[in-house]
Amino acid sequence: GQNIDQPTEMTATEGAIVQINCTYQTSGFNGLFWYQQHAGEAPTFLSYNVLDGLEEKGRFSSFLSRSKGYSYLLLKELQMKDSASYLCAPHGGSWGKLQFGAGTQVVVTP
Amino acid sequence: DTEVTQTPKHLVMGMTNKKSLKCEQHMGHRAMYWYKQKAKKPPELMFVYSYEKLSINESVPSRFSPECPNSSLLNLHLHALQPEDSALYLCASSQVSGQLNTEAFFGQGTRLTVV
């Protein structure tokens, strides 16, 4: 099975930086996804980490430590449109069982 | 084409009805997924198909019946549903690989209401 832990909600102001932590325990591990989901919409892909370290993609960066079962998503220069739920999804099992954490609701205020 | 197309977008059905949700992708992905998502909750995995064969069934009630007629299509047949089955049903697809970047693409979902 899988245990995935991430904070329920985080609030930050426009232009600030927010770091969303995720810890996980999986029966197998191939990589870890981060998805963004606006209310009523489908999840959209942000990042996929396979190896340890930081991957940067514009304003968003994702970090993985496989030995610690830990990842974080860093959102820089926050914009109002970044208000959404951010889902941590370890990709485990023999080839590809994708399950989601409960999601972190990020609220960006003016 | 990096789209996963789901139809219909909205569906209202009675508890005695039989209906089907459809999902289609043309990215050559050989893994396809059905998820169920209730309001303010994360998506919950229901089924996984790999190479058109059912590989994971997360103890889903038999009133939900998946079908994968070919590598591009995934259906979810619905029969005798309950009001608590009302939710957003999401289809996703990905490559089947343990090591490569296997980004999963999601469709826009079918908003199902059971009355």
Side-chain angles (χ1 to χ4, degrees):
Chain A
Q2 298 187 132
N3 290 316
I4 307 164
D5 245 323
Q6 51 181 128
T8 305
E9 185 171 311
M10 302 182 77
T11 300
T13 53
E14 254 183 312
I17 297 174
V18 74
Q19 177 174 315
I20 306 169
N21 296 324
C22 172
T23 57
Y24 62 88
Q25 291 175 309
T26 62
S27 54
F29 184 78
N30 296 317
L32 188 141
F33 290 93
W34 283 97
Y35 280 85
Q36 179 193 62
Q37 188 173 28
H38 287 98
E41 298 181 11
T44 54
F45 171 83
L46 291 179
S47 67
Y48 181 61
N49 292 62
V50 175
L51 301 175
D52 290 351
L54 185 68
E55 298 226 354
E56 300 189 71
K57 200 184 277 190
R59 294 188 299 114
F60 293 178
S61 304
S62 56
F63 172 83
L64 177 67
S65 168
R66 289 171 297 171
S67 61
K68 294 181 180 173
Y70 168 69
S71 175
Y72 69 72
L73 180 71
L74 195 69
L75 285 63
K76 294 181 271 193
E77 299 167 24
L78 279 174
Q79 302 175 8
M80 297 299 291
K81 66 180 182 180
D82 297 330
S83 292
S85 182
Y86 291 84
L87 302 163
C88 171
H91 189 221
S94 58
W95 61 265
K97 182 173 175 175
L98 185 64
Q99 295 213 357
F100 292 88
T104 298
Q105 186 66 42
V106 170
V107 178
V108 182
T109 59
Chain B
D1 181 4
T2 56
E3 276 194 2
V4 176
T5 304
Q6 287 188 246
T7 54
K9 287 189 171 34
H10 300 275
L11 178 63
V12 179
M13 62 185 288
M15 288 189 282
T16 58
N17 291 158
K18 283 186 186 180
K19 296 285 184 185
S20 296
L21 308 186
K22 296 187 183 304
C23 175
E24 189 169 3
Q25 56 87 16
H26 297 286
M27 294 177 279
H29 289 169
R30 302 306 292 275
M32 295 186 77
Y33 310 73
W34 279 115
Y35 287 86
K36 172 183 175 180
Q37 188 175 27
K38 303 282 269 185
K40 298 188 190 300
K41 297 286 187 185
E44 293 176 13
L45 186 64
M46 298 175 73
F47 302 105
V48 183
Y49 272 81
S50 171
Y51 296 103
E52 296 86 71
K53 287 187 171 35
L54 182 65
S55 59
I56 295 175
N57 176 341
E58 291 287 294
S59 303
V60 179
S62 59
R63 58 186 184 269
F64 295 92
S65 174
E67 178 200 18
C68 190
N70 61 54
S71 60
S72 299
L73 293 173
L74 183 67
N75 299 323
L76 186 63
H77 303 299
L78 313 172
H79 174 53
L81 293 195
Q82 304 296 311
E84 59 263 29
D85 296 323
S86 298
L88 180 69
Y89 288 84
L90 293 162
C91 173
S93 72
S94 71
Q95 296 174 26
V96 179
S97 169
Q99 297 300 321
L100 298 178
N101 183 337
T102 55
E103 174 182 345
F105 291 83
F106 281 83
Q108 288 304 303
T110 294
R111 176 76 57 191
L112 174 68
T113 304
V114 181
V115 297

